[in-house]
Amino acid sequence: MTVPAEYSIWLRPAASDEAALLQTIARLATLRGSERFAPHVTVQGDLAQPLDALRHMLAPLARKIPAQRWRVEAVECSPHFFRCVVLRFAPCAAFKGMQAAAQAFSQTQQGLSPFPHLSLAYGEAHPDNVQLSEELAAEFVGREMLLDRLSICHSSKNVPIPDWSYQADYPLVG
């Protein structure tokens, strides 16, 4: 039996950063007429593994990883739907380690994030995205964010955004 690709592993911001990011995502969704979503850094998405197996893999992994403090390096836009407008972070060993663990478990590169980033808007490319990114850069570039938990989310390119939901949260080491 084939398991559908419907889960993602997310690195999530601490509550203090999450609230501000939710406001920005809501503002941009209203501006663009697009979907709202929870702020996250995708470690690997579109996973076709059973939920129990993902839980069994992620719980011990989270106990090995310290909470992350990442500085926003840039605000960028791209034509990729899920990277329409993003906060870009510097590559780091912890993120690469999380991705290596996820890939070893999933046995695929599919759904691996190409770089550490947190999306602020989803959607098609828009001519105003460059200006919007420049405006958001004044607010976010240089800001440090605390990422303090790994989550399994029922989400993928096959699951409608309004149906995304958390399945499990695992705090990182304080």
Side-chain angles (χ1 to χ4, degrees), residues 7-84:
Y7 294 107
S8 300
I9 298 172
W10 288 355
L11 179 60
R12 294 182 45 212
S16 56
D17 288 317
E18 188 174 45
L21 290 164
L22 280 167
Q23 288 180 342
T24 300
I25 290 167
R27 186 178 82 226
L28 296 179
T30 299
L31 179 68
R32 294 280 183 231
S34 58
E35 299 289 345
R36 295 177 186 201
F37 53 90
H40 63 277
V41 175
T42 299
V43 175
Q44 187 169 17
D46 297 323
L47 292 166
Q49 278 74 30
L51 181 58
D52 285 343
L54 283 166
R55 289 176 194 238
H56 185 71
M57 181 275 296
L58 206 56
L61 178 64
R63 289 191 295 267
K64 297 176 188 174
I65 300 169
Q68 302 291 298
R69 289 195 180 277
W70 292 354
R71 188 171 308 283
V72 176
E73 287 200 330
V75 179
E76 299 177 347
C77 57
S78 85
H80 187 283
F81 182 87
F82 290 110
R83 292 190 299 273
C84 180

Side-chain angles (χ1 to χ4, degrees), residues 29-167:
T30 299
L31 179 68
R32 294 280 183 231
S34 58
E35 299 289 345
R36 295 177 186 201
F37 53 90
H40 63 277
V41 175
T42 299
V43 175
Q44 187 169 17
D46 297 323
L47 292 166
Q49 278 74 30
L51 181 58
D52 285 343
L54 283 166
R55 289 176 194 238
H56 185 71
M57 181 275 296
L58 206 56
L61 178 64
R63 289 191 295 267
K64 297 176 188 174
I65 300 169
Q68 302 291 298
R69 289 195 180 277
W70 292 354
R71 188 171 308 283
V72 176
E73 287 200 330
V75 179
E76 299 177 347
C77 57
S78 85
H80 187 283
F81 182 87
F82 290 110
R83 292 190 299 273
C84 180
V85 178
V86 303
L87 303 179
R88 186 173 186 130
F89 302 103
C92 70
F95 185 69
K96 289 177 184 174
M98 287 178 241
Q99 285 196 309
Q103 183 178 359
F105 171 76
S106 68
Q107 296 295 300
T108 181
Q109 291 185 11
Q110 179 179 327
L112 288 173
S113 179
F115 55 89
H117 68 278
L118 189 147
S119 294
L120 296 176
Y122 292 158
E124 303 302 323
H126 190 279
D128 294 341
N129 286 353
V130 173
Q131 180 180 343
L132 182 61
S133 295
E134 290 169 0
E135 292 168 7
L136 290 165
E139 181 180 349
F140 286 103
V141 171
R143 181 174 172 176
E144 190 174 84
M145 296 202 174
L146 176 63
L147 302 151
D148 67 352
R149 61 200 163 194
L150 284 169
S151 298
I152 299 170
C153 187
H154 180 242
S155 69
S156 76
K157 62 186 173 194
N158 302 319
V159 177
I161 296 168
D163 295 342
W164 289 4
S165 63
Y166 295 118
Q167 301 299 303

